[in-house]
PDB file of all heavy atoms in Angstrom:
ATOM      1  N   ALA W   4      16.100   5.981 -24.335  1.00  0.00           N
ATOM      2  CA  ALA W   4      16.073   4.490 -24.367  1.00  0.00           C
ATOM      3  C   ALA W   4      16.901   3.983 -23.154  1.00  0.00           C
ATOM      4  O   ALA W   4      16.500   2.990 -22.562  1.00  0.00           O
ATOM      5  CB  ALA W   4      16.729   4.045 -25.692  1.00  0.00           C
ATOM      6  N   VAL W  98       8.935  12.282 -15.876  1.00  0.00           N
ATOM      7  CA  VAL W  98       7.655  11.951 -15.217  1.00  0.00           C
ATOM      8  C   VAL W  98       6.899  10.809 -15.975  1.00  0.00           C
ATOM      9  O   VAL W  98       6.392   9.956 -15.345  1.00  0.00           O
ATOM     10  CB  VAL W  98       6.788  13.208 -15.111  1.00  0.00           C
ATOM     11  CG1 VAL W  98       5.361  12.808 -14.660  1.00  0.00           C
ATOM     12  CG2 VAL W  98       7.370  14.156 -14.126  1.00  0.00           C
ATOM     13  N   ALA W 115      14.955   3.462  -1.041  1.00  0.00           N
ATOM     14  CA  ALA W 115      16.338   3.970  -1.230  1.00  0.00           C
ATOM     15  C   ALA W 115      16.408   5.403  -0.619  1.00  0.00           C
ATOM     16  O   ALA W 115      17.412   5.781  -0.071  1.00  0.00           O
ATOM     17  CB  ALA W 115      16.655   4.059  -2.712  1.00  0.00           C
ATOM     18  N   ALA W 221     -19.979   5.951  15.873  1.00  0.00           N
ATOM     19  CA  ALA W 221     -21.327   5.897  16.441  1.00  0.00           C
ATOM     20  C   ALA W 221     -22.297   5.607  15.411  1.00  0.00           C
ATOM     21  O   ALA W 221     -22.311   6.213  14.329  1.00  0.00           O
ATOM     22  CB  ALA W 221     -21.613   7.298  17.117  1.00  0.00           C
ATOM     23  N   LYS W 243     -17.163 -14.716   1.030  1.00  0.00           N
ATOM     24  CA  LYS W 243     -17.202 -14.898   2.507  1.00  0.00           C
ATOM     25  C   LYS W 243     -15.785 -14.812   3.013  1.00  0.00           C
ATOM     26  O   LYS W 243     -14.831 -15.158   2.348  1.00  0.00           O
ATOM     27  CB  LYS W 243     -17.738 -16.298   2.810  1.00  0.00           C
ATOM     28  CG  LYS W 243     -17.963 -16.545   4.309  1.00  0.00           C
ATOM     29  CD  LYS W 243     -18.609 -17.888   4.580  1.00  0.00           C
ATOM     30  CE  LYS W 243     -18.789 -18.129   6.028  1.00  0.00           C
ATOM     31  NZ  LYS W 243     -19.452 -19.460   6.284  1.00  0.00           N
ATOM     32  N   PRO W 262      17.335  12.591  10.050  1.00  0.00           N
ATOM     33  CA  PRO W 262      18.042  13.195   8.920  1.00  0.00           C
ATOM     34  C   PRO W 262      18.495  14.600   9.216  1.00  0.00           C
ATOM     35  O   PRO W 262      17.880  15.307  10.104  1.00  0.00           O
ATOM     36  CB  PRO W 262      16.929  13.165   7.844  1.00  0.00           C
ATOM     37  CG  PRO W 262      15.661  13.334   8.560  1.00  0.00           C
ATOM     38  CD  PRO W 262      15.865  12.511   9.851  1.00  0.00           C
TER      39      PRO W 262
END
Side-chain angles (χ1 to χ4, degrees):
V98 170
K243 188 178 180 180

